[in-house]
């Protein structure tokens, strides 16, 4: 996705559902000494400069808001019955900014965002084609 000529970038982080780890929203799960998933995402998207960041939350969204008060939060009140498409539908989308969308339980680095920003196209997708290798040693349930 080439840098926007219209006015910048918008980031939409989808995190309304209950996390796989149960009681903690995926966005605030500790990864390592470098912070939580949300810290990694915010750092990755800093490759865009100062994007407009929106978090679509539902399950325990107040815990995310408490830790990240500067991130614009949209509440998906029907999070238990809806899915990511419903959450995306709540986000402010439009032609005014280039829009980046990701889940709140996927971690990537700034260089991945920078590489995507340097590509052309109206719609650009990134896929980790080696994801199974990163899941080595995990249970069949995790793979499912």
């Amino acid at each position: 996705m080439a840098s926007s000529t219209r006015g910048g970038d918008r980031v939409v982080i989808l995190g309304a559902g209950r996390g796989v780890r149960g009681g903690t929203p995926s966005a605030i799960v500790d990864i390592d000494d470098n912070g939580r998933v949300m810290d990694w995402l915010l750092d990755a998207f800093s490759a865009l400069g100062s994007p407009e960041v929106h978090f679509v939350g539902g399950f325990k969204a107040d815990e995310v808001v408490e830790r990240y008060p500067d991130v614009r939060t949209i509440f998906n009140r029907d999070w238990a019955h809806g899915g990511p498409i419903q959450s995306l539908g709540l986000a402010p989308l439009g032609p005014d900014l280039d829009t980046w969308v990701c889940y709140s339980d996927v971690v990537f680095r700034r260089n991945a965002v920078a590489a995507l920003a340097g590509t052309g196209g109206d719609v650009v997708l990134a896929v980790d084609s080696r994801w199974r290798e990163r899941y080595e040693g995990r249970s069949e349930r995790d793979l499912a």
Side-chain angles (χ1 to χ4, degrees), residues 24-46:
T24 303
S26 296
I28 57 174
V29 169
D30 286 319
I31 297 293
D32 58 14
D33 293 339
N34 293 323
R36 300 176 177 95
V37 174
M38 184 69 94
D39 297 324
W40 278 75
L41 294 175
L42 294 174
D43 181 68
F45 285 115
S46 72

Side-chain angles (χ1 to χ4, degrees), residues 118-140:
T119 64
D122 292 334
V123 177
V124 179
L125 301 174
V127 176
D128 181 357
S129 61
R130 295 176 38 208
W131 70 271
R132 284 192 183 272
E133 294 171 31
R134 296 180 217 299
Y135 268 64
E136 187 176 325
R138 299 207 182 166
S139 71
E140 287 296 320

Side-chain angles (χ1 to χ4, degrees), residues 67-136:
R67 288 174 174 85
Y68 300 94
D70 295 333
V71 172
R72 296 171 176 104
T73 302
I74 301 152
F75 293 96
N76 180 348
R77 300 196 190 295
D78 194 31
W79 66 268
H81 300 100
I85 296 299
Q86 179 189 31
S87 288
L88 183 59
L90 298 172
L93 305 175
D96 57 325
L97 302 173
D98 283 345
T99 301
W100 299 72
V101 180
C102 70
Y103 291 112
S104 66
D105 61 353
V106 176
V107 177
F108 46 88
R109 292 187 169 89
R110 195 178 313 155
N111 61 354
V113 172
L116 282 171
T119 64
D122 292 334
V123 177
V124 179
L125 301 174
V127 176
D128 181 357
S129 61
R130 295 176 38 208
W131 70 271
R132 284 192 183 272
E133 294 171 31
R134 296 180 217 299
Y135 268 64
E136 187 176 325

